[in-house]
Amino acid sequence: MALFITDQCINCDVCEPECPNDAIYQGELIYEIEASKCTECIGHFNKEQCIIVCPVDCILVDPEHQESQTILQQKYQQLTGKEYDPSAEAS
């Protein structure tokens, strides 16, 4: 599943640099997440880095982009050109 940022976003700029896939960008009013690039940090980290740093808890699972763990792993491979290795994920 991709993530999305709700309108509770305060534009604090902490989530964007944490995204390993460059999926987060400044939208017209708030930060947004490009679903095609969001892997929920699969392949990079054990937990979603943007959610960890968000001070207002405005990053949620996007119900319009339901994706299985396998799909997220495949997306990681397509985005990075690397084979998915769960042991390589950082905490």
Side-chain angles (χ1 to χ4, degrees):
M1 295 163 271
L3 302 173
F4 80 104
I5 299 174
T6 71
D7 60 3
Q8 300 298 309
C9 176
I10 60 172
N11 291 311
C12 66
D13 304 319
V14 298
C15 61
E16 183 182 27
E18 296 301 319
C19 181
N21 296 319
D22 296 325
I24 300 174
Y25 63 95
Q26 177 64 54
E28 190 173 315
L29 300 174
I30 60 172
Y31 277 90
E32 298 181 25
I33 297 177
E34 187 174 336
S36 66
K37 290 184 176 181
C38 179
T39 63
E40 295 185 34
C41 292
I42 295 291
H44 300 283
F45 300 99
N46 289 327
K47 297 184 182 195
E48 299 90 341
Q49 300 301 290
C50 59
I51 291 175
I52 291 171
V53 299
C54 181
V56 293
D57 298 324
C58 66
I59 303 173
L60 307 173
V61 172
D62 188 345
E64 294 184 22
H65 293 96
Q66 298 284 330
E67 298 170 313
S68 68
Q69 185 84 3
T70 301
I71 297 294
L72 292 171
Q73 292 167 356
Q74 291 170 350
K75 191 189 297 187
Y76 164 80
Q77 290 173 337
Q78 291 172 337
L79 289 169
T80 65
K82 298 176 184 175
E83 195 69 28
Y84 173 72
D85 178 8
S87 66
E89 292 179 350
S91 297

